Structure formats: structure tokens, C-alpha cells
């Protein structure tokens, strides 16, 4: 069957096979920033924004996104500029191997879009579905706080 | 040779928290990992795995699978090389036994390889795997250390073509026994003696990226293995050996990899991918699924460790004995070396004891294969040693901190264990040249509130608080064995290519090695273009293990950079018509005392185009003569729920002496990650088995690694020292942190509720049971 999806602001059409997951479709179509870690929704490495909310793309059938909007990590940069979250991840050392990073950034993007001033507990909750084995989450939480601070500073200025 | 004081100068690039050189590509999701490359006509490979813990393959019928449309190749023991090798990616000759075949006629654990299918798609490969008919003759299985050592135990490696097994007939992979002084006499002369036995569970690395390899032939017909490995050069050597294929026709590339922690120091898939590509002339992709990762990748060696300590009334240790029985699973990968490290990385910490005995065995069982795992035996040893130290302190009526202070090794001192016990062989003599453990202890005590909270059993409803501590050391590389090399060449804009065999597995080694080169060459990090881990283009390096990269590869980079610096100075001396001895490098130029300067770009232009042209470039190698240990003092505050047995870590503080932290932000990250992994190992992580040896929880839902909400506040304090044998004073930091949580939390639980937990993980059930038994 054919589906139409807006991915990272570009309207696309794909032929999909029945049972194909959104994760499989995205990776097949070159969105390699979407990572495969478990295929059971436990690790969050495959997270994307579906109509603005973070979902594990391994648990979403590709057929279900027909007519919807998807944003992957590749879509977070705007006009060649990194998003504040991406900058903050780099500045705080929140990236080690980088395999969980795309999903973590997606979860944090969802959080900040809906809650521009989250508490530490809310930050931890937002990324609690994204497993990371390298960092201990210390610097990822710090990165999200830094992004919040910078985005607010930007508004104030 | 600059003096130590000169070396201690302020650094320009080193000791700064520079952004990772690969950071931008990682936060933007660029296709940099193994499976991110699409090649036309790629075959998808799936592996048929044994349903039995121990069985002989009587018959294997692949005809139906082979006849399926879309199946390109089926591999079994009938059509693959039979040469035995080790999957352990270690230096040659590997200290692990050659007990593994690509596909054997016998299976030795649930999940062992039986066959592989390469097909046009994953679906076809999976269907074809199911169509293979295997007749097994089941054998009695060995499912514990005790069963393996029983007098009439089934023999797991009864084949006659394995090599390097200590005593195959008794299921013993390796045996270690070393003595210093006379331990029996030592105990007889001791006034206070404690003895404790601790047992550690089966635990998994769980990198978020499972093992994956993509193999293909380049246009000249050479085999390329793009693989998620910590050891590209060992992969090349071991695949060449296993397949009896010329090493020069193999190129191994490690792209970005999604975490290693030891499990990718292992050749798990590359041999199958290589053979598939060589037989079909097509690219082949093998990705382990998460359940396969749990069942068929590697684990930490579960161990039973007994420690006996004898001390004088003032707390001075007089005799120490450690016995370790390690379960290496179905194959002997890292069996000997993990076992020896259990003693060699722990006992030298308390060098006041004159009488020391370390002995142990690593045994085969029909359970998943253990391998290298961050901490590498030391983690297991410290549980028992630091528990015993806590018990000894109590018996002596001493503060546990004070007992450690009276016994731990200090700068200028040595331990006889360094010589007696190395990695699977004798070690090397070394005198500790940097040790700030005293300051680590002091800072840790203050941050946790030791004086105020220890022994107070503060109650909050059903919760009781307690404080515990422990101290640790590790090493920095394997002395006289590990070799790293680096090549640096200069470009005419004053930039440099840094080519290293060193393997960045997410640790940031590309970045810190770039920082070391930049520091020597007087340029910002942006002028160093780092390329790593490609056997065709980068010089040899043993790879990322044994906490070696910063210290060993870092020294190779420093030496290469110094050679290049001296070539630059020679050219600049011509250009400036000055004495090379008087010139200095900095700010991307070479400066003479008379105020004249020449930029690095001009120097390279001159060398390339003007006169006596040559490429400014150098290669240097480094083999360490010793393995300077980093040190950690760790402190935990826990709260134990006396109603449920639940243990909550309230705060975890570690102060670490890693010498000069080349990149403090990345160094903290190494500690934080190791601590998080260790806290999970202490509290929640455990592979569970059925009575027939099948892993019952092979997924990230039932095998609980900690998430962001589960992590307690972690505080890491970097306590600078200066290691004169390391690059810019650096030692290692990759592994040591993971040793801390188990004993520190166990000792804190004792402080809170008075129970000694001697079996990990400290689940509510075990805690509650221990509390009830105490009553």
C-alpha cells in the first residue's frame, strides 16, 4: 500500500509492506538517525515525533502514519543551525557513544515544546523511556536544563 | 626532558572540556554507525541457535532451507572451517583457550551457534532458519560452578583439538595460585581475623547498539569488515586465522559504535559475515536482536570470592587470602585473565600485608559465555575485599575509613603482587608514582557527611539511612604487552591528520587524543583531523580495553606529535634563519626570541614546495613498562525500607585520581556512566535461568538497567594528580568507577540495618530475607 507522510517538513510518499513498522520504513528510506536498539519499545533509541509527540517508532505500524507528520533527529536542525538542545548536548558532554542521543533529543524536544520550564524531575521523567548505558544521565539532564536556560535567555533578550 | 614542574604548566588544549570531535555528527543523526550504510544486494544473515544447554548434533538437514527462494547460503559445521580459535580479542598469543569453532558438532549452551542462513531479506532468512532440521542427542548439562567441579561432572570440552585449556576433563579453563610470604603463618600471627564469601550474578553489558557487522568486497576484491568492535586489529587477525584467509586481504573498519563495555572486545559475528561474503561475493549484514544479545553475546564472569584478612591490633593488615571461582560459561574467553585480575587489581591496594595468597579457578558451565566486562574481575574482587575490610574495621573497633588509611598503598611504595601476578602471567615491578587517594577519601567524607551521618541510623518512617564507603584501584593498560601507535602528518594550511588505531567506543578517545596532539603542536583542537580504527589506514593499536587508551595510545600520540614538532622546528629554523634550540611553538606558529615568527601554514608550504621538500609526518609507538593505577574513594548514603526490603541510594559520591584529566567533562562522563552501570549491577540487574539453562529475561523490560528516574544523585570529583609516566600526567579512568557501587552500597546497607549482603543484586527479596534471618 501507499502512504503519504510529512517527514521533517517534506511531504513524501512511500510504498509500504503490511506489518512494516515506522522504524523499518524510516531506516529503509535513509533516516538512519533513527536507531534500532530492541524493537520492543523498551530502549527509546528509535523515538521520533509523531504529530509533535515522542513515540517509539518500532511500536508504530508504518500504515498508521498515513496523513500524519513525523520529525526525526535529522529534522531538528533548522536552516543549517543546530537546535538549542543539540548545542547543549555538545556543550555539557551529554553525548558519549551517541546511539541513544537521537531518541533522547526527540524526547527532550517533545518535553520543551509542551513544558518550556520543566523541573529536574519532569526532565528525568521525559527521558525515562530512553535508555543510555554510557552516561548515567547526569549530563543529559544538565544539557536539557542548559537548553531551557538558553532558550529563556533568548526570549528575554 | 622537561622537569615535572615544567610539565605541570597550564595547558592550552588539554585539561579543557572540549566538545567531542564527533559530536555534531552524532547529535544530528548522521549515518555513522555500522548498520547505517546501505549497499546494493546485501544479504541478511540470521543464526540458528541451540535450544539445548548441552547436546551433540546428530544430524542436520538444510535441504529445505537451501531450496527456499531467496536463500543464498546456509552455513553449518559441514561446510565451514573447523580450526579452533578464541573469540577473545586480546593480544597475540591470546591467553584464552582455542576452544571455539565457527560451527561445532556439539552445542554447549542455549543460544550456541548451530547454523547461519544468508538470504535476500531478514524475513526469508528467519523462515529458512526455522526450516533447518536438527537432530540432537541431549547431554546432561552443567549449570553451576559446583556442578562443574563435581567429581563426576559431564565434560563440556571433550573434543581433542582444543588448546590452552588448563584441565578440560575437570571443566577447568584456568588455574591461578600465587603466594607472597607465608599466609598460614601470617594468620597465626594475626590478632584479628575475618573471613567472608561473596557471590556475584550473571550480568550483561547491554550496549544500546547490539552487535552488528556489515561485510563486503571492495572494487579490488578485498574483504571489508565494517564492524561494531573494540578491537579492529584483533578482528582482522582472528578472522584471518579462523578462515585461513590472507590477513592482507582483509580490511577492518570500526565506524561509530553504540557502546562496548567489553562485550565488543569479542569476535562474535565477523567470521560468519566474512565467509558469507567470500562465498557469495555479496555484502552481508548481521545484526543481533536484543534477545540474542542477552543469550549469545557476552556477560560478566559470575564469581564466588572468598576473602580472609588477618590484622594486628592497630589495624595493620598482616595476612590476606583471596580465593576466586569464576564461571566462564560454555567457552573460555577471557577466563584466565579476568580471574587473575580479580587478585592483581585489588590486593596491591593494601600493600602493608606481608603475607598474601591468591588462588582460584575459572570453570566451564553450559551457560552463556562470559567475557570482558568493564572492571574485568576487579569488580568481583572488590565486593569481597571491601566487605571484609568493613567487617574487619568493626571487629577492631576502628572507623572503616581509618582502617583503609592505615593500609592503602601510597606514592613511592610498591606491592609484591605487581610482580607476582599480571594478566594471565607474571606481572611487572612498579613503584606507585602518583596517588591522591588520601585526598579522595578526605573530599568524599566531607561531601557525603561521614562524620555527621555515619552510624546514626536516621529513621524516616519505615526507612533507615546508612552510610558506606570503599576504596579502589585499577590499572592503565597491560604493561609490556599493549602497544599503540599513532601517525601524524601535516597539511599546508597548518592542520594535521592524526591517524590512530585506538578505538573510540563512545568514550571520546578520538577527542582526547586530538587534544594531546593539539597541545604538543600548539594548535587548537579544530586543526587536528582525527581518523581512527581502520586497519588499512591507521597504525596498529590493541584496541579499547584494559583502561589503556588514554595512557598507552595517548603516549603514542604525544610521541608522534613531538617528532612532528621537531621537524616543524627544523624547517622553521631555516625559514627564520635561527637556531632551532631557541624556537618555540604556539598559536599556530613558530617563534624566535628576536620576535620573528613563521606560521605553521608557511612552514608546511616551505616543506612541501620550496626546498629540500618532504612530508612533515611521523609515526610513533608506545608500550608501557608499568600500569599506573587510578584510585577512587567512594561513599554512599542509602535508605533501606524495613517493611519491603527496598534499597534506595540517596546519594553516591566518588572522588577519583586519574592523574591529569585530559578532558575533564569526558572524564566525569566515564565515571558517571560506570557508576550508573555499577549501581544497576548492585541493585537490579541479573540474568535469570530456567532449570534447563535458558535465559528467562532476555529483554530490557525484564532485565532492568537503570533509567533516568532510577539514578540517584551522583557526584564525581576529579582529584588531580600527576602521573610522570603518562601523557601530560594522565592515567586511566574507563573502568575503575564500576568497582565502587557494590561494596559501597553493601557497606551502607550494613550501617543502616545491620545486615551483610553477600550475594548480588541486593533485591528487596534478598534484603528482606536477610533482615528476617537476623531477627
Amino acid at each position: 500500500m501507499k502512504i503519504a507522510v510529512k517527514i521533517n517538513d517534506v511531504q513524501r510518499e512511500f510504498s509500504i509492506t503490511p506489518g512494516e513498522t515506522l522504524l523499518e520504513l524510516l531506516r529503509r528510506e535513509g533516516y538512519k538517525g533513527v536507531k534500532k536498539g530492541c524493537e520492543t519499545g523498551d530502549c527509546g533509541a528509535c523515538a521520533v515525533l509523531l504529530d509533535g509527540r515522542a513515540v517509539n517508532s518500532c511500536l508504530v505500524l508504518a500504515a498508521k502514519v498515513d496523513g500524519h507528520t513525523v520529525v526525526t533527529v535529522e529534522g531538528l536542525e533548522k536552516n543549517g543551525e543546530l537546535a538549542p538542545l543539540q548545542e547543549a548536548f555538545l556543550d555539557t558532554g551529554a553525548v558519549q557513544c551517541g546511539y541513544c542521543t537521537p531518541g533522547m533529543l526527540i524526547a527532550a524536544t517533545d518535553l520543551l515544546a509542551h513544558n518550556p520550564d520543566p523541573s529536574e524531575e519532569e526532565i528525568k521523567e521525559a527521558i525515562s523511556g530512553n535508555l543510555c548505558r554510557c552516561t548515567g544521565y547526569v549530563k543529559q539532564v544538565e544539557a536539557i536544563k542548559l537548553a531551557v536556560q538558553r532558550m529563556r535567555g533568548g526570549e528575554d533578550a | 626532558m622537561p622537569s615535572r614542574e615544567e610539565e605541570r604548566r597550564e595547558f592550552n588544549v588539554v585539561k579543557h572540556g572540549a566538545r567531542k570531535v564527533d559530536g555534531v555528527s552524532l547529535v544530528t543523526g548522521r549515518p555513522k554507525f555500522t548498520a547505517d550504510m546501505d549497499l546494493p544486494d546485501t544479504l541478511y544473515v540470521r543464526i540458528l541457535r541451540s535450544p539445548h544447554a548441552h547436546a551433540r548434533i546428530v544430524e542436520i538437514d538444510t535441504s529445505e532451507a537451501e531450496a527456499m527462494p531467496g536463500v543464498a547460503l546456509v552455513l553449518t559445521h559441514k561446510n565451514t572451517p573447523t580450526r579452533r580459535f578464541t573469540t577473545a580479542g586480546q593480544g597475540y598469543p591470546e591467553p584464552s583457550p582455542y576452544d571455539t569453532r565457527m560451527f561445532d558438532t556439539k552445542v554447549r549452551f542455549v543460544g550456541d551457534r548451530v547454523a547461519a542462513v544468508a538470504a535476500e531479506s531478514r524475513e526469508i532468512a528467519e523462515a529458512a532458519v526455522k526450516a533447518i532440521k536438527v537432530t540432537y542427542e541431549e547431554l546432561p548439562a552443567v549449570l553451576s560452578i559446583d556442578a562443574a567441579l563435581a567429581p563426576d561432572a559431564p565434560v563440556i570440552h571433550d573434543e581433542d583439538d582444543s588448546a590452552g585449556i588448563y584441565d578440560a576433563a575437570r571443566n577447568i579453563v584456568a588455574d591461578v595460585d600465587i603466594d607472597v610470604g607465608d599466609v598460614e603463618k601470617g594468620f597465626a600471627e594475626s590478632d584479628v581475623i575475618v573471613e567472608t564469601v561473596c557471590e556475584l550474578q550473571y550480568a550483561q553489558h547491554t550496549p544500546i547498539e547490539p552487535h552488528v557487522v556489515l561485510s563486503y568486497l571492495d572494487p579490488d576484491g578485498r574483504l571489508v569488515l565494517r564492524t561494531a568492535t573494540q578491537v579492529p586489529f584483533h578482528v582482522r587477525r582472528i578472522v584471518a586465522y579462523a578462515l585461513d584467509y590472507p590477513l592482507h586481504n582483509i580490511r577492518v573498519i570500526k565506524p561509530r559504535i553504540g557502546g562496548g563495555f567489553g562485550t565488543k572486545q569479542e569476535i562474535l559475528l565477523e567470521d560468519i559475515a566474512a565467509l558469507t561474503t567470500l562465498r557469495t561475493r555479496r555484502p552481508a549484514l548481521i545484526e543481533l536482536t536484543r534477545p540474542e544479545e542477552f543469550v549469545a553475546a557476552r556477560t560478566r564472569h559470575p564469581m564466588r570470592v572468598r576473602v580472609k584478612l588477618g590484622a594486628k591490633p592497630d589495624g595493620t593488615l598482616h595476612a590476606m587470602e583471596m580465593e576466586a571461582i569464576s564461571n566462564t560459561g560454555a567457552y573460555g574467553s577471557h577466563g584466565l585473565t579476568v580471574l587473575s585480575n580479580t587478585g592483581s587489581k585489588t590486593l596491591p591496594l593494601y600493600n602493608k600485608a606481608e603475607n598474601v595468597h591468591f588462588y582460584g579457578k575459572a570453570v566451564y558451565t553450559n551457560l552463556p559465555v562470559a567475557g570482558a566486562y568493564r572492571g574485568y574481575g576487579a569488580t568481583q574482587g572488590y565486593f569481597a575485599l571491601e566487605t571484609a575490610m568493613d567487617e574487619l574495621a568493626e571487629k577492631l573497633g576502628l572507623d572503616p575509613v581509618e582502617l583503609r588509611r592505615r593500609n592503602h598503598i601510597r606514592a613511592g611504595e610498591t606491592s609484591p603482587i605487581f610482580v607476582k601476578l599480571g594478566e594471565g602471567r607474571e606481572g611487572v615491578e612498579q613503584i606507585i608514582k602518583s596517588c591522591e587517594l588520601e585526598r579522595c577519601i578526605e573530599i568524599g567524607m566531607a561531601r557525603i557527611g561521614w562524620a555527621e551521618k555515619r552510624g546514626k541510623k536516621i529513621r524516616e518512617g519505615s526507612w533507615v539511612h546508612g552510610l558506606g564507603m570503599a576504596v579502589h584501584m585499577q590499572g592503565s593498560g597491560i604493561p609490556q604487552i599493549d602497544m599503540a601507535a599513532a601517525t601524524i602528518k601535516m597539511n599546508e594550511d597548518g592542520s594535521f591528520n592524526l591517524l590512530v588505531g585506538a578505538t573510540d567506543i563512545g568514550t571520546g578517545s578520538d577527542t582526547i587524543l586530538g587534544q594531546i596532539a593539539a597541545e604538543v603542536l600548539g594548535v587548537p583542537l579544530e586543526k587536528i583531523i582525527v581518523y581512527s580504527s581502520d586497519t588499512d589506514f591507521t597504525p596498529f593499536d590493541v584496541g579499547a580495553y584494559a583502561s589503556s587508551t588514554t595512557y598507552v595510545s595517548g603516549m603514542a600520540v604525544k610521541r608522534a606529535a613531538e617528532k612532528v614538532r621537531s621537524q616543524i622546528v627544523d624547517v622553521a629554523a631555516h625559514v627564520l634563519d635561527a637556531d632551532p634550540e631557541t624556537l618555540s611553538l604556539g598559536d599556530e606558529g613558530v617563534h624566535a626570541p628576536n620576535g620573528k615568527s613563521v606560521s605553521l601554514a608557511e612552514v608546511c608550504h616551505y616543506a612541501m614546495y620550496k626546498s629540500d621538500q618532504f612530508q612533515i609526518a611521523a609515526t610513533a609507538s608506545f608500550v608501557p613498562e608499568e600500569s599506573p593505577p587510578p584510585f577512587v574513594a567512594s561513599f554512599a548514603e542509602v535508605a533501606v525500607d524495613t517493611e519491603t526490603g527496598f534499597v534506595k541510594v540517596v546519594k553516591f559520591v566518588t572522588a577519583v585520581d586519574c592523574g591529569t584529566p585530559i578532558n575533564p567533562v569526558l572524564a566525569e562522563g566515564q565515571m558517571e556512566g560506570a557508576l550508573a552501570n555499577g549501581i544497576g549491577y548492585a541493585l537490579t540487574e541479573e540474568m535469570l535461568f530456567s532449570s534447563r539453562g535458558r535465559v528467562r529475561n532476555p529483554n530490557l523490560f525484564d532485565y532492568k538497567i537503570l533509567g533516568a528516574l532510577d539514578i540517584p544523585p551522583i557526584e564525581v570529583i576529579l582529584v588531580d594528580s600527576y602521573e610522570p609516566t603518562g601523557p601530560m600526567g594522565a592515567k586511566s579512568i574507563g573502568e575503575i568507577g564500576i568497582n565502587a557501587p557494590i561494596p559501597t552500597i553493601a557497606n551502607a546497607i550494613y550501617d543502616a540495618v545491620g545486615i551483610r549482603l553477600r550475594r548480588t543484586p541486593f533485591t528487596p527479596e534478598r534484603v528482606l530475607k536477610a533482615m528476617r534471618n537476623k531477627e
Side-chain angles (χ1 to χ4, degrees), chain A residues 2-118:
Chain A
K2 274 201 185 326
I3 59 167
V5 202
K6 193 175 192 183
I7 302 183
N8 300 339
D9 284 333
V10 179
Q11 193 61 45
R12 308 245 350 227
E13 276 197 19
F14 304 110
S15 286
I16 61 162
T17 52
E20 187 168 18
T21 64
L22 179 57
L23 167 64
E24 288 164 332
L25 171 69
L26 290 170
R27 285 195 58 85
R28 168 161 72 79
E29 289 298 327
Y31 301 93
K32 303 291 192 191
V34 186
K35 296 297 179 216
K36 181 161 71 177
C38 67
E39 299 180 277
T40 49
D42 293 315
C43 79
C46 66
V48 299
L49 295 177
L50 177 57
D51 298 332
R53 300 314 302 247
V55 297
N56 287 326
S57 62
C58 70
L59 297 182
V60 177
L61 286 173
K64 281 199 72 173
V65 303
D66 187 24
H68 293 266
T69 301
V70 169
V71 175
T72 70
V73 68
E74 288 93 340
L76 297 183
E77 255 177 300
K78 294 282 177 233
N79 310 316
E81 297 227 339
L82 296 182
L85 273 167
Q86 290 170 308
E87 294 280 3
F89 267 58
L90 294 174
D91 287 333
T92 53
V95 181
Q96 283 193 32
C97 81
Y99 201 80
C100 75
T101 305
M104 199 73 81
L105 284 166
I106 290 291
T109 303
D110 177 1
L111 170 71
L112 300 193
H114 296 89
N115 179 359
D117 190 17

Side-chain angles (χ1 to χ4, degrees), chain B residues 534-707:
Chain B
D534 179 334
T535 58
D536 266 12
F537 292 99
T538 61
F540 179 84
D541 190 297
V542 288
Y545 59 89
S547 289
S548 61
T549 305
T550 301
Y551 183 71
V552 183
S553 312
M555 275 306 277
V557 170
K558 181 167 178 270
R559 286 181 172 185
E562 283 165 353
K563 285 185 177 179
V564 166
R565 181 176 64 186
S566 107
Q567 293 174 21
I568 290 170
V569 167
D570 285 346
V571 174
H574 274 282
V575 178
L576 295 170
D577 194 19
D579 176 0
E581 296 292 313
T582 64
L583 298 179
S584 63
L585 252 77
D587 296 330
E588 303 186 58
V590 186
H591 315 286
N594 62 6
K596 277 194 186 169
S597 284
V598 57
S599 74
L600 290 184
E602 286 167 313
V603 168
C604 191
H605 258 280
Y606 188 91
M608 277 183 179
Y609 304 116
K610 279 276 169 62
S611 78
D612 296 332
Q613 289 99 315
F614 76 109
Q615 167 72 61
I616 295 178
T619 295
S621 307
F622 182 70
V623 182
E625 283 302 315
E626 51 198 273
S627 181
F631 295 93
V632 157
S634 55
F635 293 81
E637 178 179 349
V638 304
V640 182
D641 186 347
T642 51
E643 280 175 6
T644 64
F646 193 87
V647 176
K648 188 168 75 180
V649 178
V650 178
K651 190 178 183 185
F652 205 99
V653 174
T654 53
V656 54
D657 160 14
C658 64
T660 302
I662 301 292
N663 183 318
V665 173
L666 296 178
E668 285 170 8
Q670 284 300 300
M671 283 298 292
E672 290 159 2
L675 292 171
N677 191 337
I679 294 169
Y681 184 34
L683 296 180
T684 64
E685 297 181 28
E686 179 167 23
M687 290 168 70
L688 303 169
F689 296 95
S690 75
S691 60
R692 295 164 63 83
R694 185 180 53 82
V695 181
R696 279 167 49 212
N697 55 342
N699 60 71
L700 292 168
F701 185 77
D702 296 309
Y703 182 95
K704 171 68 179 166
I705 74 170
L706 301 187

Side-chain angles (χ1 to χ4, degrees), chain B residues 96-115:
Chain B
S96 296
Y98 281 26
D99 61 1
T100 306
R101 269 187 188 172
M102 273 193 81
F103 295 94
D104 212 337
T105 52
K106 188 179 177 186
V107 288
R108 296 179 180 83
F109 68 102
V110 176
D112 207 351
R113 286 177 180 182
V114 175

Side-chain angles (χ1 to χ4, degrees), chain B residues 391-418:
Chain B
E391 291 181 53
L392 182 62
E394 191 184 22
K395 229 172 165 176
L396 286 161
L398 271 180
D399 186 313
V401 170
E402 189 51 36
L403 180 64
R404 267 91 174 180
R405 280 186 157 153
R406 291 186 188 176
N407 286 287
H408 76 70
I409 200 165
R410 286 158 198 268
E413 297 179 355
T414 186
S415 157
I417 306 290
F418 287 137

Side-chain angles (χ1 to χ4, degrees), chain B residues 163-182:
Chain B
I165 302 172
Y166 178 76
D167 187 348
R170 291 166 60 215
N171 292 321
I172 301 173
V173 179
D175 183 281
V176 176
D177 196 330
I178 62 115
D179 266 309
V180 171
D182 181 341

Side-chain angles (χ1 to χ4, degrees), chain B residues 21-210:
Chain B
V21 294
D22 51 350
V24 171
S25 64
L26 293 172
V27 296
T28 51
R30 301 272 184 269
K32 295 196 61 166
F33 292 83
T34 301
D36 292 349
M37 189 161 89
D38 290 325
L39 292 173
D41 296 324
T42 298
L43 291 167
Y44 204 98
V45 180
R46 296 291 295 147
I47 295 166
L48 174 64
R49 299 187 177 281
S50 168
H52 302 299
H54 199 189
R56 271 181 221 292
I57 296 172
V58 179
E59 212 178 294
I60 183 159
D61 178 2
T62 57
S63 53
E64 198 182 312
E66 279 165 347
M68 288 172 72
V71 171
L73 181 71
V74 180
L75 296 173
T76 68
H77 70 83
K78 292 178 183 174
N79 62 353
T80 50
T82 56
R83 191 179 241 194
R84 289 196 190 271
F85 58 97
T86 176
T87 59
Q90 298 176 289
Y92 182 82
E94 303 90 341
S96 296
Y98 281 26
D99 61 1
T100 306
R101 269 187 188 172
M102 273 193 81
F103 295 94
D104 212 337
T105 52
K106 188 179 177 186
V107 288
R108 296 179 180 83
F109 68 102
V110 176
D112 207 351
R113 286 177 180 182
V114 175
V117 175
E120 301 295 334
S121 72
R122 173 171 165 174
E123 291 70 28
I124 297 170
E126 273 169 7
V129 158
K130 287 187 187 132
I132 297 172
K133 294 184 187 70
V134 189
T135 312
Y136 297 96
E137 177 203 343
E138 268 195 81
L139 301 168
V142 173
L143 299 177
S144 70
I145 285 173
D146 293 326
L149 291 172
D152 53 349
V155 178
I156 295 169
H157 283 273
D158 52 355
E159 66 276 3
D160 58 12
D161 59 339
S162 279
I165 302 172
Y166 178 76
D167 187 348
R170 291 166 60 215
N171 292 321
I172 301 173
V173 179
D175 183 281
V176 176
D177 196 330
I178 62 115
D179 266 309
V180 171
D182 181 341
V183 85
E184 286 313 317
K185 192 163 159 271
F187 284 123
E189 293 163 356
S190 295
D191 299 272
V192 182
I193 289 175
V194 296
E195 188 168 6
T196 196
V197 180
C198 291
E199 217 165 320
L200 297 106
Q201 78 276 34
Y202 252 103
Q204 244 255 345
H205 313 68
T206 69
I208 307 302
E209 175 201 44

